[in-house]
Amino acid sequence: MARVEGKVAIVTGGAQGLGEAAVKGLTREGALVLLCDTNAARGAETATKYGAKFYQHDVGEEDQWRALMDNVVAQYGRLDILVNNAGIFHSSRVDETSLEDFRRVIDINLTGCFLGCKHGVQAMRANPDSGGGSIINLSSVSGQRGQAGNGAYGSSKAAVALLTKTVAVENGEFKIRCNSIHPGIIQTPMLDALFEAAGDQAAAITNQIEQKTPLGIIGNPDDIGDMVVFLASTDSQFITGAEMVVDGGAIASLPY
């Protein structure tokens, strides 16, 4: 229960869902966690729940990234772990997607991750003991295959995967590792909302998802939180530039 004891971590989009699971796992394992989110009320509540610190933050604004890193270094002297989790989902056919919607998805999911990597690397390189750090980017299995309605979201997540590999290659000499996590279908508030919108069809959709997943279940947010802890800890000290798929075997079982 102390796999990241004494480490300083940032988790973006940490107020709920997969971000909350990351906060939960990292605090449980001893890290000092700064939970970042645009939702001040929910973010502060979640931070209090797990003993984290809350910082209101928009990942798409570079000035806010600079201020965040200055704050972390001034207060805690270092940054060891960065989880770029903040993101939004959008579903529509490419020919029906507005430029405004496409740009918003890219700005948050990809540009926000890019800015996190850029400023996270700079902060980690300045760590007093040159101990490096771990950057963990949340991608998706949606970035690994074509899927109707996923033009904007899937494109953003595919780009996150390649950005991750580039950051890993560029920063190995500084002992900074960078890996991406690719969740499948996980029981998050986002999924709950989709099921609610489906109404009477929700049970049938759930059954269909479970039948198409080799493990026969829908994932739990803690499945992602535990992967975050693994990638943040020395348990994964020889892993960088990797795509960690957490989807119950769904991608592996796709027909050719």
Side-chain angles (χ1 to χ4, degrees), residues 9 13 18 25 37 52 69 89 102 108 131 138 157 173 239 243:
L18 303 185
D37 207 286
M69 293 303 173
F89 179 75
F102 186 84
I108 296 175
L138 268 291
K157 292 303 187 179
E173 64 179 299
I239 299 175
E243 299 180 13

Side-chain angles (χ1 to χ4, degrees), residues 59-141:
V59 297
E61 298 294 331
E62 186 163 22
D63 286 347
Q64 293 192 28
W65 274 108
R66 292 192 183 99
L68 173 62
M69 293 303 173
D70 288 346
N71 182 288
V72 171
V73 173
Q75 289 197 51
Y76 311 112
R78 61 185 303 112
L79 175 66
D80 302 292
I81 301 160
L82 170 61
V83 183
N84 286 310
N85 165 76
I88 60 172
F89 179 75
H90 177 83
S91 179
S92 66
R93 294 173 57 90
V94 170
D95 56 301
E96 297 173 353
T97 302
S98 70
L99 180 58
E100 180 182 10
D101 284 339
F102 186 84
R103 282 176 170 165
R104 176 165 171 74
V105 172
I106 295 298
D107 283 348
I108 296 175
N109 295 3
L110 177 57
T111 305
C113 183
F114 155 73
L115 291 172
C117 289
K118 174 182 177 179
H119 293 280
V121 160
Q122 292 172 359
M124 289 175 180
R125 286 183 184 179
N127 281 345
D129 57 1
S130 300
S134 176
I135 298 176
I136 302 159
N137 297 328
L138 268 291
S139 182
S140 171
V141 294

